[in-house]
């Protein structure tokens, strides 16, 4: 029996609630410029699904399923939202898969979801082959440790997140106007750009391009944050 997730998160800023679900193993490292920019316009809730930035790095890892992350995100929203409130959600990479699952399970609490390059490659016609290639590119001998004093977030991702999350195939119809699946402009012609386009079509969401590539939130944080904010606020105007 696995231990429950810690439901670790940080809150900063003011305005509409925006839940951010980082990629990889969910550790928000490197996202400081992005979160600072977003917190000027939103009450930014940065979810740390495995608690790696909150004292759990190096300990045995629980919460290896997509549903663990999405249900944890829902618990966080239930804590920070008023009873009749709804939140914007942005998930990147593996966090994007969790954001999609959150929308499938709890749409009534979500105003709009942006899933940036979610690696749900099994939705592709050649998904099994592409998933095997993706895992082969990322994982292999000599990977960093996932537990103990020398554990790293990348080690946790490779050992516990990569395989179950890339096997996840979301199967639901998004509420009209409440889902955007995004890909980076620098990812054109790459696997996850194609995956994002197919995912948007399969789930009934919009497709959009964001600045940078798969790591656009890290490499182009200000431009990424502004594009994200514009996406959310334009969706609010459309639904008003």
């Amino acid at each position: 029996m696995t231990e429950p997730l810690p439901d670790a998160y940080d809150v900063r800023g003011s305005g509409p609630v925006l839940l951010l679900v980082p990629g990889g193993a969910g550790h928000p490292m490197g996202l400081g410029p992005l979160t600072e920019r977003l917190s000027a316009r939103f009450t930014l809730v940065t979810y740390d699904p495995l608690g790696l930035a909150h004292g759990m790095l190096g300990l045995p890892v629980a919460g290896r399923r997509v549903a663990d992350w999405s249900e944890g995100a829902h618990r966080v929203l239930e804590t920070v939202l008023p009873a009749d409130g709804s939140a914007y959600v942005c998930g990147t990479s593996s966090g994007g898969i969790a954001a999609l699952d959150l929308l499938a399970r709890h749409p009534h609490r979500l105003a709009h979801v942006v899933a940036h390059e979610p690696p749900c490659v099994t939705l592709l016609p050649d998904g099994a082959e592409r998933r095997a290639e993706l895992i082969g590119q990322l994982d292999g001998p000599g990977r960093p440790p996932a537990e103990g004093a020398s554990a790293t977030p990348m080690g946790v991702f490779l050992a516990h997140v990569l395989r179950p999350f890339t096997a996840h195939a979301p199967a639901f119809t998004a509420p009209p106007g409440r889902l955007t699946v995004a890909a980076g402009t620098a990812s054109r012609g790459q696997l996850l750009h194609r995956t994002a386009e197919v995912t948007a079509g399969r789930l009934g969401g919009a497709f959009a391009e964001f600045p940078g590539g798969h790591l656009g939130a890290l490499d182009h944080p200000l431009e990424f944050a502004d594009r994200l904010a514009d996406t959310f606020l334009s969706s609010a105007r459309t639904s008003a």
Side-chain angles (χ1 to χ4, degrees):
M1 179 172 160
T2 60
E3 293 297 320
L5 291 177
D7 290 344
Y9 61 96
D10 296 295
V11 182
R12 63 184 299 186
S14 61
V17 173
L18 166 54
L19 178 73
L20 180 64
V21 188
H27 194 299
M29 60 184 178
L31 293 179
L34 177 78
T35 59
E36 181 177 0
R37 185 78 158 197
L38 289 172
S39 64
R41 304 174 72 173
F42 299 92
T43 297
L44 184 67
V45 182
T46 304
Y47 179 41
D48 178 7
L50 299 181
L52 300 185
H54 293 78
M56 301 296 287
L57 182 61
L59 300 179
V61 177
R64 307 175 186 190
R65 302 176 305 141
V66 172
D68 294 325
W69 288 31
S70 61
E71 289 301 320
H74 178 246
R75 290 191 297 271
V76 170
L77 288 180
E78 290 297 304
T79 300
V80 301
L81 282 174
D84 59 348
S86 60
Y88 298 116
V89 178
C90 174
T92 62
S93 193
S94 52
I97 291 181
L100 292 174
D101 197 54
L102 178 62
L103 181 60
R105 293 170 180 270
H106 304 285
H108 61 289
R109 285 302 237 168
L110 309 182
H112 197 92
V113 170
V114 171
H116 182 264
E117 297 204 5
C120 37
V121 293
T122 56
L123 293 180
L124 300 174
D126 56 347
E129 293 84 357
R130 300 291 79 79
R131 178 173 179 263
E133 290 178 2
L134 182 63
I135 291 173
Q137 291 168 5
L138 296 176
D139 201 3
R143 69 185 181 196
E147 296 183 10
S150 57
T152 67
M154 178 57 73
V156 175
F157 169 69
L158 294 175
H160 301 300
V161 178
L162 175 62
R163 284 173 173 77
F165 276 61
T166 56
H168 183 73
F172 67 99
T173 300
R178 283 199 274 163
L179 173 63
T180 299
V181 185
T185 55
S187 298
R188 292 173 186 167
Q190 298 177 14
L191 173 63
L192 294 184
H193 192 286
R194 175 185 167 210
T195 301
E197 290 185 284
V198 168
T199 301
R202 289 282 291 272
L203 302 184
F207 172 77
E209 288 192 324
F210 274 44
H214 188 62
L215 300 179
L218 293 170
D219 298 337
H220 300 274
L222 304 188
E223 298 91 339
F224 190 101
D226 290 346
R227 181 74 171 91
L228 182 63
D230 289 345
T231 300
F232 289 139
L233 299 181
S234 64
S235 73
R237 289 191 294 268
T238 300
S239 62

